[in-house]
Amino acid sequence: MQRGTTNALTLQSLSVRGMNRDSLLYNNQSNVRAMILPLNRFNQVSIFICTMNGITDTLSIYHTNNDFLISYACGVVIAHQIDTILTTNHFIEKVNIIEPHVNTATTQHLQIFH
Amino acid sequence: MLIPLQHNTFRFFISLILWVSLAEGIHSQNTNNKVNVDSNYIRSPFLKGIRVELDVSPLVSTFILGTEHYQWQAATQFHLRNQYLPIVEVGVSGSNIHTPSGIHYRTDGLFYRVGLDISAIRPANDRQPTNHLLLVGARLGYSGFTYELNNIVINDPYWNRSEIRNGMQHTTSRFWMEIVAGLRVEIFTRAYLGWSIRYKSLFGYDVPGAYKPLFIPGYGMNNENNWAFSYLIGYKF
Protein backbone atom coordinates (compact mmCIF):
# COMPACT_ATOMS: atom_id res chain seq x y z
CA MET A 1 0.00 0.00 0.00
CA GLN A 2 1.11 3.56 -0.60
CA ARG A 3 1.62 5.56 2.57
CA GLY A 4 -1.54 7.30 3.75
CA THR A 5 -3.75 5.71 1.11
CA THR A 6 -5.54 2.45 0.50
CA ASN A 7 -4.19 2.24 -3.05
CA ALA A 8 -2.23 -0.91 -3.82
CA LEU A 9 1.40 -0.25 -4.72
CA THR A 10 2.97 -2.18 -7.56
CA LEU A 11 6.49 -3.32 -6.74
CA GLN A 12 9.02 -3.09 -9.55
CA SER A 13 10.93 -6.02 -8.08
CA LEU A 14 10.37 -8.46 -5.23
CA SER A 15 12.55 -11.19 -3.80
CA VAL A 16 11.47 -13.18 -0.72
CA ARG A 17 12.93 -16.11 1.14
CA GLY A 18 12.44 -17.62 4.54
CA MET A 19 15.01 -17.09 7.27
CA ASN A 20 17.69 -19.81 7.04
CA ARG A 21 16.14 -21.10 3.84
CA ASP A 22 17.92 -21.06 0.52
CA SER A 23 14.99 -21.45 -1.82
CA LEU A 24 13.37 -18.20 -2.93
CA LEU A 25 9.64 -17.74 -2.76
CA TYR A 26 9.88 -14.77 -5.13
CA ASN A 27 12.97 -14.31 -7.28
CA ASN A 28 13.30 -10.70 -8.45
CA GLN A 29 9.72 -10.81 -9.66
CA SER A 30 8.39 -7.62 -11.26
CA ASN A 31 5.00 -5.90 -11.15
CA VAL A 32 3.94 -7.53 -7.88
CA ARG A 33 0.87 -6.28 -6.01
CA ALA A 34 0.38 -9.22 -3.61
CA MET A 35 2.45 -12.08 -2.25
CA ILE A 36 1.69 -15.44 -0.72
CA LEU A 37 3.94 -16.59 2.12
CA PRO A 38 3.98 -20.06 3.74
CA LEU A 39 3.81 -19.88 7.53
CA ASN A 40 5.87 -22.36 9.47
CA ARG A 41 3.65 -25.27 10.53
CA PHE A 42 5.79 -26.32 13.48
CA ASN A 43 7.22 -23.07 14.85
CA GLN A 44 5.42 -20.12 16.41
CA VAL A 45 7.23 -17.57 14.26
CA SER A 46 7.85 -17.34 10.52
CA ILE A 47 10.59 -14.93 9.44
CA PHE A 48 10.91 -13.74 5.85
CA ILE A 49 13.63 -11.70 4.19
CA CYS A 50 11.89 -9.42 1.70
CA THR A 51 13.73 -7.29 -0.83
CA MET A 52 11.32 -4.79 -2.33
CA ASN A 53 12.50 -2.41 -5.07
CA GLY A 54 16.05 -3.23 -4.00
CA ILE A 55 15.56 -2.45 -0.30
CA THR A 56 15.61 -5.33 2.20
CA ASP A 57 13.37 -5.71 5.25
CA THR A 58 12.86 -8.57 7.68
CA LEU A 59 9.24 -9.53 8.29
CA SER A 60 8.56 -11.61 11.45
CA ILE A 61 5.09 -13.11 11.76
CA TYR A 62 4.20 -14.56 15.16
CA HIS A 63 1.39 -17.09 15.08
CA THR A 64 -0.12 -20.14 16.72
CA ASN A 65 -0.59 -23.42 14.85
CA ASN A 66 -3.59 -25.72 15.16
CA ASP A 67 -4.45 -28.98 13.49
CA PHE A 68 -7.43 -28.77 11.16
CA LEU A 69 -8.95 -32.05 10.01
CA ILE A 70 -10.38 -31.53 6.54
CA SER A 71 -11.74 -35.08 6.51
CA TYR A 72 -10.44 -38.55 7.23
CA ALA A 73 -10.19 -39.06 3.49
CA CYS A 74 -8.22 -35.87 2.81
CA GLY A 75 -6.19 -35.63 6.01
CA VAL A 76 -5.00 -32.81 8.24
CA VAL A 77 -3.73 -29.33 7.49
CA ILE A 78 -2.39 -26.70 9.88
CA ALA A 79 -4.43 -23.56 10.52
CA HIS A 80 -2.72 -20.47 11.95
CA GLN A 81 -3.77 -17.55 14.09
CA ILE A 82 -1.57 -14.50 13.50
CA ASP A 83 -0.79 -12.69 16.75
CA THR A 84 1.88 -10.12 16.07
CA ILE A 85 3.89 -8.70 13.18
CA LEU A 86 7.35 -7.26 13.67
CA THR A 87 9.28 -5.69 10.83
CA THR A 88 12.29 -3.59 10.10
CA ASN A 89 11.43 -0.25 8.53
CA HIS A 90 13.74 0.28 5.59
CA PHE A 91 11.09 -0.02 2.91
CA ILE A 92 8.12 -1.11 5.00
CA GLU A 93 6.47 1.55 7.12
CA LYS A 94 4.02 -0.69 8.95
CA VAL A 95 1.99 -3.90 8.63
CA ASN A 96 -1.68 -4.26 9.49
CA ILE A 97 -3.37 -7.55 10.28
CA ILE A 98 -6.59 -7.71 8.28
CA GLU A 99 -7.61 -11.32 8.95
CA PRO A 100 -5.63 -13.16 11.64
CA HIS A 101 -7.11 -16.59 10.98
CA VAL A 102 -5.25 -18.46 8.26
CA ASN A 103 -6.77 -21.62 6.87
CA THR A 104 -7.45 -23.13 3.47
CA ALA A 105 -9.51 -20.12 2.32
CA THR A 106 -7.82 -17.67 -0.01
CA THR A 107 -8.18 -14.19 1.49
CA GLN A 108 -6.11 -11.15 2.36
CA HIS A 109 -4.52 -11.42 5.80
CA LEU A 110 -1.97 -8.58 5.92
CA GLN A 111 -1.53 -5.12 4.49
CA ILE A 112 2.04 -3.86 4.11
CA PHE A 113 2.43 -0.08 3.97
CA HIS A 114 5.36 1.73 2.35
CA MET B 1 -7.27 -43.61 27.69
CA LEU B 2 -8.47 -46.36 25.36
CA ILE B 3 -10.97 -48.75 26.84
CA PRO B 4 -9.66 -52.33 26.33
CA LEU B 5 -11.92 -54.54 24.27
CA GLN B 6 -11.69 -57.39 26.71
CA HIS B 7 -12.90 -55.22 29.56
CA ASN B 8 -15.90 -53.99 27.54
CA THR B 9 -16.80 -57.50 26.48
CA PHE B 10 -16.64 -58.69 30.08
CA ARG B 11 -18.93 -55.89 31.25
CA PHE B 12 -21.30 -56.61 28.38
CA PHE B 13 -21.72 -60.29 29.28
CA ILE B 14 -22.06 -59.51 32.98
CA SER B 15 -24.94 -57.18 32.08
CA LEU B 16 -26.50 -59.91 29.96
CA ILE B 17 -26.31 -62.44 32.79
CA LEU B 18 -27.95 -59.98 35.19
CA TRP B 19 -30.82 -59.43 32.77
CA VAL B 20 -31.39 -63.11 32.32
CA SER B 21 -31.46 -63.57 36.11
CA LEU B 22 -33.95 -60.72 36.47
CA ALA B 23 -36.16 -62.13 33.74
CA GLU B 24 -36.14 -65.60 35.32
CA GLY B 25 -37.24 -64.15 38.64
CA ILE B 26 -40.15 -62.27 37.12
CA HIS B 27 -41.26 -65.35 35.21
CA SER B 28 -41.33 -67.38 38.42
CA GLN B 29 -43.35 -64.63 40.07
CA ASN B 30 -45.89 -64.67 37.25
CA THR B 31 -46.41 -68.42 37.41
CA ASN B 32 -47.11 -68.19 41.14
CA ASN B 33 -49.84 -65.57 40.68
CA LYS B 34 -53.25 -66.86 39.71
CA VAL B 35 -54.88 -65.10 36.79
CA ASN B 36 -58.64 -64.69 37.01
CA VAL B 37 -60.19 -66.52 34.08
CA ASP B 38 -63.64 -65.66 32.85
CA SER B 39 -65.39 -68.12 30.56
CA ASN B 40 -65.91 -65.39 27.95
CA TYR B 41 -63.00 -63.09 28.58
CA ILE B 42 -59.38 -63.71 29.39
CA ARG B 43 -57.83 -60.61 30.93
CA SER B 44 -54.25 -60.21 29.86
CA PRO B 45 -51.79 -59.62 32.70
CA PHE B 46 -49.97 -56.32 32.66
CA LEU B 47 -46.57 -57.96 32.26
CA LYS B 48 -46.92 -60.90 29.93
CA GLY B 49 -43.26 -61.77 29.92
CA ILE B 50 -39.76 -60.65 29.29
CA ARG B 51 -37.97 -61.54 26.10
CA VAL B 52 -34.19 -61.61 25.93
CA GLU B 53 -32.61 -61.57 22.50
CA LEU B 54 -29.20 -61.52 20.90
CA ASP B 55 -28.22 -60.01 17.57
CA VAL B 56 -26.43 -62.72 15.61
CA SER B 57 -25.93 -60.73 12.42
CA PRO B 58 -22.26 -60.05 13.37
CA LEU B 59 -21.66 -63.77 12.79
CA VAL B 60 -21.98 -62.89 9.13
CA SER B 61 -20.76 -59.31 9.02
CA THR B 62 -17.71 -59.72 11.26
CA PHE B 63 -16.47 -63.23 10.66
CA ILE B 64 -17.48 -63.95 7.08
CA LEU B 65 -17.31 -60.51 5.47
CA GLY B 66 -14.33 -59.51 7.60
CA THR B 67 -15.34 -55.88 7.95
CA GLU B 68 -13.36 -53.20 9.76
CA HIS B 69 -16.08 -52.98 12.41
CA TYR B 70 -17.57 -55.33 14.95
CA GLN B 71 -20.69 -55.11 17.07
CA TRP B 72 -22.34 -57.42 19.57
CA GLN B 73 -25.59 -56.47 21.18
CA ALA B 74 -28.34 -57.95 23.31
CA ALA B 75 -31.71 -56.71 24.39
CA THR B 76 -34.35 -57.21 27.04
CA GLN B 77 -37.90 -56.41 26.04
CA PHE B 78 -40.90 -56.25 28.36
CA HIS B 79 -44.28 -57.42 27.02
CA LEU B 80 -46.89 -55.11 28.51
CA ARG B 81 -50.44 -56.18 27.68
CA ASN B 82 -49.05 -57.64 24.45
CA GLN B 83 -49.15 -54.17 22.92
CA TYR B 84 -46.45 -52.02 24.43
CA LEU B 85 -42.95 -53.38 24.57
CA PRO B 86 -40.34 -51.20 26.30
CA ILE B 87 -36.83 -52.32 25.50
CA VAL B 88 -33.33 -51.90 26.83
CA GLU B 89 -30.42 -52.73 24.55
CA VAL B 90 -26.74 -52.86 25.39
CA GLY B 91 -23.75 -53.83 23.32
CA VAL B 92 -20.11 -53.46 22.59
CA SER B 93 -18.76 -52.21 19.30
CA GLY B 94 -15.55 -51.02 17.75
CA SER B 95 -13.63 -50.35 14.61
CA ASN B 96 -10.14 -50.48 13.24
CA ILE B 97 -9.98 -48.33 10.12
CA HIS B 98 -7.13 -47.28 7.84
CA THR B 99 -8.41 -44.16 6.09
CA PRO B 100 -7.41 -43.08 2.55
CA SER B 101 -5.27 -40.27 4.01
CA GLY B 102 -3.25 -42.85 5.97
CA ILE B 103 -4.77 -41.99 9.35
CA HIS B 104 -5.38 -45.08 11.47
CA TYR B 105 -8.57 -44.86 13.55
CA ARG B 106 -9.36 -47.30 16.34
CA THR B 107 -12.13 -47.36 18.91
CA ASP B 108 -13.90 -49.78 21.26
CA GLY B 109 -16.83 -48.89 23.44
CA LEU B 110 -20.09 -49.81 25.06
CA PHE B 111 -23.39 -48.44 23.90
CA TYR B 112 -26.87 -48.35 25.36
CA ARG B 113 -30.32 -47.83 23.94
CA VAL B 114 -33.73 -47.47 25.55
CA GLY B 115 -36.99 -47.29 23.71
CA LEU B 116 -40.47 -48.56 23.09
CA ASP B 117 -41.97 -50.85 20.45
CA ILE B 118 -45.63 -51.15 19.67
CA SER B 119 -47.06 -54.40 18.38
CA ALA B 120 -48.87 -53.92 15.11
CA ILE B 121 -50.69 -57.23 15.56
CA ARG B 122 -53.64 -56.74 17.90
CA PRO B 123 -56.15 -59.59 18.09
CA ALA B 124 -59.72 -58.56 18.80
CA ASN B 125 -60.44 -58.37 22.55
CA ASP B 126 -57.21 -60.24 23.17
CA ARG B 127 -59.13 -63.54 23.04
CA GLN B 128 -56.64 -65.51 21.02
CA PRO B 129 -53.40 -63.60 21.26
CA THR B 130 -50.71 -64.51 18.80
CA ASN B 131 -47.18 -64.82 20.02
CA HIS B 132 -45.73 -63.46 16.79
CA LEU B 133 -44.80 -59.80 16.81
CA LEU B 134 -44.75 -57.14 14.15
CA LEU B 135 -42.99 -54.26 15.85
CA VAL B 136 -42.50 -50.58 15.16
CA GLY B 137 -40.77 -48.33 17.63
CA ALA B 138 -38.13 -45.82 18.53
CA ARG B 139 -34.89 -45.78 20.48
CA LEU B 140 -32.64 -43.28 22.20
CA GLY B 141 -29.02 -44.36 21.92
CA TYR B 142 -25.93 -43.32 23.87
CA SER B 143 -22.28 -44.21 23.79
CA GLY B 144 -19.37 -42.80 25.76
CA PHE B 145 -16.13 -43.95 24.22
CA THR B 146 -12.48 -43.31 23.57
CA TYR B 147 -10.87 -43.32 20.16
CA GLU B 148 -7.24 -43.35 19.16
CA LEU B 149 -5.65 -41.79 16.09
CA ASN B 150 -2.31 -42.82 14.69
CA ASN B 151 -0.15 -42.05 11.66
CA ILE B 152 -1.26 -38.45 11.17
CA VAL B 153 1.31 -37.14 8.71
CA ILE B 154 1.93 -33.39 8.50
CA ASN B 155 4.41 -32.06 5.98
CA ASP B 156 5.87 -28.58 5.70
CA PRO B 157 7.63 -28.61 2.31
CA TYR B 158 8.99 -25.06 2.38
CA TRP B 159 10.35 -25.12 5.93
CA ASN B 160 11.49 -28.69 5.25
CA ARG B 161 10.04 -30.53 8.18
CA SER B 162 7.62 -33.42 8.69
CA GLU B 163 5.94 -34.96 11.69
CA ILE B 164 3.97 -38.13 12.23
CA ARG B 165 1.63 -37.98 15.19
CA ASN B 166 0.72 -41.17 16.99
CA GLY B 167 -1.25 -42.15 20.04
CA MET B 168 -3.67 -39.22 19.98
CA GLN B 169 -6.52 -40.26 22.25
CA HIS B 170 -9.86 -38.51 22.55
CA THR B 171 -12.79 -39.28 24.82
CA THR B 172 -16.26 -38.23 23.83
CA SER B 173 -19.92 -39.26 23.88
CA ARG B 174 -22.78 -39.18 21.41
CA PHE B 175 -26.58 -39.45 21.53
CA TRP B 176 -28.76 -40.53 18.66
CA MET B 177 -32.31 -41.66 17.92
CA GLU B 178 -33.53 -44.61 15.94
CA ILE B 179 -36.73 -45.61 14.23
CA VAL B 180 -37.06 -49.39 14.27
CA ALA B 181 -39.28 -51.90 12.52
CA GLY B 182 -39.06 -55.64 12.87
CA LEU B 183 -40.66 -59.03 13.01
CA ARG B 184 -40.45 -61.77 15.67
CA VAL B 185 -41.74 -65.25 15.05
CA GLU B 186 -42.13 -67.81 17.82
CA ILE B 187 -40.47 -70.80 16.17
CA PHE B 188 -40.73 -73.04 19.25
CA THR B 189 -42.41 -72.48 22.58
CA ARG B 190 -40.89 -69.27 23.97
CA ALA B 191 -38.11 -69.30 21.36
CA TYR B 192 -38.10 -66.44 18.87
CA LEU B 193 -36.40 -65.65 15.61
CA GLY B 194 -36.64 -62.32 13.84
CA TRP B 195 -35.08 -59.26 12.30
CA SER B 196 -35.06 -55.51 12.75
CA ILE B 197 -34.23 -52.69 10.43
CA ARG B 198 -33.17 -49.35 11.90
CA TYR B 199 -32.88 -45.79 10.67
CA LYS B 200 -30.51 -43.83 12.88
CA SER B 201 -30.09 -40.09 13.19
CA LEU B 202 -27.29 -38.46 15.19
CA PHE B 203 -27.89 -35.56 17.58
CA GLY B 204 -25.55 -32.56 17.57
CA TYR B 205 -22.74 -31.72 15.20
CA ASP B 206 -18.96 -31.70 15.16
CA VAL B 207 -16.85 -28.55 15.25
CA PRO B 208 -15.31 -28.04 11.79
CA GLY B 209 -11.67 -29.06 11.74
CA ALA B 210 -11.80 -31.01 15.01
CA TYR B 211 -10.65 -34.62 15.27
CA LYS B 212 -14.19 -35.94 15.31
CA PRO B 213 -14.92 -39.64 15.82
CA LEU B 214 -15.03 -41.56 12.58
CA PHE B 215 -16.98 -44.47 14.05
CA ILE B 216 -19.43 -44.35 16.98
CA PRO B 217 -20.11 -47.59 18.90
CA GLY B 218 -23.74 -48.58 18.41
CA TYR B 219 -24.34 -45.92 15.77
CA GLY B 220 -21.84 -46.79 13.09
CA MET B 221 -19.94 -44.40 10.85
CA ASN B 222 -20.20 -40.78 11.91
CA ASN B 223 -22.74 -39.81 9.24
CA GLU B 224 -25.78 -37.67 9.75
CA ASN B 225 -27.94 -40.77 9.21
CA ASN B 226 -27.29 -44.51 9.13
CA TRP B 227 -29.19 -47.68 8.32
CA ALA B 228 -28.67 -50.93 10.16
CA PHE B 229 -30.01 -54.47 10.08
CA SER B 230 -30.18 -57.00 12.90
CA TYR B 231 -30.94 -60.70 12.86
CA LEU B 232 -32.12 -61.81 16.27
CA ILE B 233 -32.66 -64.94 18.31
CA GLY B 234 -34.56 -64.67 21.56
CA TYR B 235 -36.24 -66.41 24.44
CA LYS B 236 -39.28 -65.28 26.35
CA PHE B 237 -39.46 -65.85 30.09
Side-chain angles (χ1 to χ4, degrees), chain A residues 46-57:
Chain A
S46 301
I47 303 174
F48 299 94
I49 311 300
C50 307
T51 302
M52 291 167 278
N53 292 350
I55 303 171
T56 299
D57 272 313

Side-chain angles (χ1 to χ4, degrees), chain A residues 18 21 23 38 41 67 69 72, chain B residues 101 155 158 165 209 211-212:
Chain A
R21 304 301 307 154
S23 78
R41 296 172 188 174
D67 291 9
L69 177 70
Y72 280 102
Chain B
S101 64
N155 293 313
Y158 182 73
R165 296 181 185 166
Y211 285 111
K212 62 183 180 182

Side-chain angles (χ1 to χ4, degrees), chain B residues 27-213:
Chain B
H27 172 60
S28 303
Q29 197 175 32
N30 283 342
T31 53
N32 292 333
N33 294 336
K34 300 282 186 186
V35 177
N36 294 330
V37 178
D38 188 283
S39 58
N40 295 319
Y41 179 73
I42 302 171
R43 180 173 175 79
S44 173
F46 180 71
L47 179 60
K48 293 198 70 175
I50 295 176
R51 196 177 73 260
V52 177
E53 57 187 19
L54 178 71
D55 180 9
V56 293
S57 59
L59 291 173
V60 175
S61 62
T62 302
F63 294 115
I64 296 178
L65 298 178
T67 64
E68 297 171 314
H69 321 297
Y70 73 88
Q71 177 168 300
W72 291 99
Q73 62 178 337
T76 298
Q77 190 155 36
F78 303 87
H79 291 235
L80 306 183
R81 295 222 185 282
N82 225 24
Q83 290 181 3
Y84 305 104
L85 299 99
I87 187 167
V88 178
E89 298 172 321
V90 65
V92 60
S93 177
S95 68
N96 191 358
I97 305 170
H98 292 273
T99 67
S101 64
I103 298 174
H104 179 209
Y105 179 92
R106 178 182 154 80
T107 186
D108 298 295
L110 293 170
F111 63 88
Y112 311 90
R113 301 189 195 105
V114 294
L116 177 71
D117 284 338
I118 295 173
S119 174
I121 301 174
R122 295 187 182 182
N125 295 328
D126 209 15
R127 286 179 182 273
Q128 291 181 326
T130 174
N131 288 330
H132 307 315
L133 297 165
L134 178 61
L135 302 171
V136 290
R139 307 278 187 276
L140 177 66
Y142 168 81
S143 181
F145 58 101
T146 297
Y147 56 99
E148 183 178 276
L149 301 170
N150 287 296
N151 198 43
I152 299 172
V153 179
I154 297 173
N155 293 313
D156 192 338
Y158 182 73
W159 297 97
N160 196 26
R161 189 173 164 189
S162 294
E163 276 187 13
I164 299 176
R165 296 181 185 166
N166 289 306
M168 295 177 65
Q169 294 192 345
H170 301 264
T171 300
T172 187
S173 61
R174 290 291 187 276
F175 283 95
W176 68 92
M177 65 153 293
E178 300 179 0
I179 297 171
V180 185
L183 186 68
R184 305 289 186 276
V185 176
E186 188 179 37
I187 51 171
F188 304 109
T189 304
R190 297 185 173 278
Y192 285 78
L193 206 59
W195 53 264
S196 287
I197 189 165
R198 298 163 184 265
Y199 175 76
K200 307 179 182 183
S201 185
L202 195 63
F203 292 143
Y205 62 93
D206 295 299
V207 176
Y211 285 111
K212 62 183 180 182

Side-chain angles (χ1 to χ4, degrees), chain A:
Chain A
M1 294 288 188
Q2 291 178 322
R3 182 184 301 133
T5 72
T6 54
N7 299 326
L9 177 70
T10 301
L11 295 174
Q12 299 308 310
S13 68
L14 174 68
S15 296
V16 180
R17 65 178 174 83
M19 178 69 86
N20 299 324
R21 304 301 307 154
D22 291 330
S23 78
L24 288 166
L25 295 162
Y26 292 87
N27 186 6
N28 202 25
Q29 192 164 328
S30 58
N31 298 322
V32 178
R33 293 166 68 90
M35 56 182 172
I36 298 172
L37 304 176
L39 298 181
N40 197 311
R41 296 172 188 174
F42 301 103
N43 287 338
Q44 303 282 308
V45 58
S46 301
I47 303 174
F48 299 94
I49 311 300
C50 307
T51 302
M52 291 167 278
N53 292 350
I55 303 171
T56 299
D57 272 313
T58 301
L59 182 66
S60 302
I61 303 172
Y62 290 82
H63 53 85
T64 56
N65 308 317
N66 298 296
D67 291 9
F68 189 96
L69 177 70
I70 298 174
S71 70
Y72 280 102
C74 297
V76 175
V77 297
I78 301 295
H80 309 278
Q81 185 79 18
I82 297 173
D83 297 326
T84 308
I85 307 286
L86 296 179
T87 178
T88 57
N89 297 112
H90 301 120
F91 184 87
I92 297 172
E93 182 190 23
K94 65 174 183 177
V95 179
N96 282 352
I97 300 172
I98 304 300
E99 170 56 62
H101 188 62
V102 182
N103 55 23
T104 55
T106 302
T107 186
Q108 183 183 18
H109 298 95
L110 305 177
Q111 280 184 340
I112 299 175
F113 288 86
H114 166 60

